[in-house]
Amino acid sequence: MIIIADGGSTKTNWCLVTEEGKKVYFNTEGYNPYFSSTDYIIQSLGESLPTDLEKDAITEVNYYGAGCSTDEMRDIVKVAMEAVFTKAKVNIGHDLLAAARALLGNNEGFAAILGTGTNTCIYDGKNVVMNIDSGAYILGDEGSGCYIGKKLLTDYLRGYMPEPVRNLFWETYKLTPDDVNEQVYTQPRANRFCASFSKFVYDNNVHIEYSRNLVRTSFEDFFRNLVTHYPDYQKYSFNCIGSVGYNFRNVLEELVVENGMVVGNIIRSPIDNLVKFHLEMAHQL
């Protein structure tokens, strides 16, 4: 039995493929090694994996994760996976490679992630060959759920929200400005905290113009800093994975066209396409 997993900073989608070809899906929290230690990942998996999962029967784990961009970061996750799946060969890849494989298969092109965080790349059909550093959630991640959430929280702290939005925000969360600052600056996983408010923007119908402008300016920053700097970027279609890109795809598609690209695949999660990719690769061996 093999496992394919796509790990974001917030959530990990897993698929177990049995020897009979049956697919079993389940979720755990996300394990970004910049925020989660090996010991934490082991503990969390012990608590959140399905109780009937036969871990010793797993022969291969293909895990793609946010933050798994260097050998050091990949090792944090790999050691944890090897401790949990003791009989399995463990392969750790970056979530950007997962996005490219899920969106493009074996074809070259442009691929992006717009979820809790952001990333972009040019893919040659096998590997990521060009990547503009997203800067992560403190320095960059333009267009991400965290970025949108930060803009919303900044408007809340500064009193820039339209009154109906501010009232709904308070009714929904009961957060004072001091509460917000404490969560962001003294509590762990501030990126998840900020990203959680993108759902408020998506669900908020009190002031459509405000919400739409918040998303649009976030995506404008994304294209300006993380898309248009790729050489000949307009020759590629725009392909994107992630809940933020998917949920706000009506605004995203406008920006794609305005920046001279063609809309390609915009999907919520790569897991189904990733499973298909790995099964096709296995059949070619």
Side-chain angles (χ1 to χ4, degrees), residues 3 14 26-28 44-53 55 84-85:
I3 281 180
W14 303 74
F26 52 93
N27 299 318
T28 66
S44 175
L45 289 175
E47 296 171 351
S48 55
L49 288 174
T51 55
D52 59 349
L53 181 65
K55 294 188 283 291
V84 174
F85 302 102

Side-chain angles (χ1 to χ4, degrees), residues 79-93:
V79 171
M81 295 295 164
E82 289 176 339
V84 174
F85 302 102
T86 56
K87 307 293 185 183
K89 176 185 177 183
V90 175
N91 302 305
I92 306 295

Side-chain angles (χ1 to χ4, degrees), residues 65-258:
C68 296
S69 54
T70 67
D71 288 341
E72 181 182 2
M73 292 298 107
R74 282 190 288 270
D75 283 345
I76 290 172
V77 180
K78 185 174 184 179
V79 171
M81 295 295 164
E82 289 176 339
V84 174
F85 302 102
T86 56
K87 307 293 185 183
K89 176 185 177 183
V90 175
N91 302 305
I92 306 295
H94 196 205
D95 62 344
L96 190 55
L97 179 59
R101 286 177 168 177
L103 289 164
L104 298 164
N106 293 309
N107 301 310
E108 69 172 358
F110 172 90
I113 297 170
L114 280 169
T116 299
T118 301
N119 219 330
T120 57
C121 73
I122 303 298
Y123 175 69
D124 68 358
K126 293 183 179 179
N127 299 298
V128 171
V129 293
M130 188 176 297
N131 165 241
I132 297 173
D133 197 310
S134 72
Y137 82 99
I138 292 178
L139 299 179
D141 266 357
E142 292 92 331
S144 68
C146 184
Y147 193 79
I148 292 170
K150 284 196 297 183
K151 287 171 73 72
L152 181 80
L153 291 173
T154 299
D155 282 357
Y156 177 63
L157 295 178
R158 293 173 176 169
Y160 294 166
M161 277 182 177
E163 195 63 27
V165 180
R166 187 176 182 86
N167 291 339
L168 180 60
F169 184 91
W170 172 255
E171 291 169 8
T172 304
Y173 300 108
K174 295 292 193 294
L175 288 170
T176 67
D178 286 343
D179 293 333
V180 171
N181 282 318
E182 180 181 357
Q183 284 287 335
V184 170
Y185 293 108
T186 69
Q187 299 301 313
R189 295 175 178 80
N191 62 324
R192 288 190 200 174
F193 174 76
C194 293
S196 69
F197 296 99
S198 65
K199 184 179 187 301
F200 176 84
V201 178
Y202 178 68
D203 292 340
N204 173 24
N205 292 316
V206 174
H207 200 299
I208 297 296
E209 182 181 357
Y210 170 77
S211 298
R212 184 179 179 82
N213 185 63
L214 197 69
V215 173
R216 182 177 175 84
T217 54
S218 297
F219 285 162
E220 287 173 347
D221 293 345
F222 166 71
F223 273 90
R224 181 171 57 254
N225 296 321
L226 296 173
V227 179
T228 61
H229 287 276
Y230 286 103
D232 301 320
Y233 73 94
Q234 292 175 327
K235 76 177 184 180
Y236 302 109
S237 62
F238 180 90
N239 304 282
C240 175
I241 270 175
S243 59
V244 172
Y246 184 82
N247 289 339
F248 296 113
R249 61 191 179 280
N250 57 330
V251 181
L252 181 61
E253 289 175 357
E254 290 179 5
L255 270 296
V256 171
V257 174
E258 289 176 19

